Amino acid sequence: IKEQEFVIEDFVRTKMEVVSYIHFAPNVIVDIVNGKLMTNILNINIDGANKIEIVENTISKEYNKFEPIKVAKIYFNSNLKLTFVKI
């Protein structure tokens, strides 16, 4: 682990496409730029993805009170490498 970044690698053995999810806190602004996830906290470099999309979701910090959040869905087949880089 480097001080300014860390890496997560996923290896799966399947012929089907699989999905990796990253759930962001409510205060995080996220966008996809040139195949990378760019946020106001860190950037995520992605190697091995077939497709990346950002979807809306919600979390509940209290009973029956929901807040909107963003979730990144990263589709891949066998190997995925995510490099989280502090900005």
Side-chain angles (χ1 to χ4, degrees):
I1 294 178
K2 294 180 182 179
E3 190 172 317
Q4 298 297 315
E5 70 179 42
F6 68 92
V7 175
I8 296 174
E9 295 187 68
D10 283 329
F11 302 98
V12 294
R13 291 185 186 185
T14 181
K15 294 181 181 187
M16 299 173 60
E17 187 173 64
V18 294
V19 183
S20 179
Y21 295 89
I22 302 174
H23 296 79
F24 294 97
N27 63 330
V28 176
I29 300 165
V30 62
D31 198 9
I32 302 168
V33 178
N34 297 324
K36 300 178 183 182
L37 293 171
M38 311 296 272
T39 79
N40 54 320
I41 298 170
L42 54 80
N43 296 328
I44 305 170
N45 300 327
I46 302 169
D47 295 314
N50 299 333
K51 181 172 92 170
I52 306 164
E53 63 183 358
I54 298 170
V55 297
E56 302 285 332
N57 207 328
T58 58
I59 60 168
S60 178
K61 294 182 179 180
E62 296 179 51
Y63 180 74
N64 214 22
K65 292 185 180 181
F66 298 95
E67 284 189 64
I69 63 165
K70 303 285 187 183
V71 177
K73 294 176 69 173
I74 305 167
Y75 299 82
F76 68 104
N77 284 74
S78 58
N79 300 335
L80 179 68
K81 181 178 178 181
L82 305 174
T83 305
F84 295 76
V85 182
K86 184 178 176 183
I87 55 174

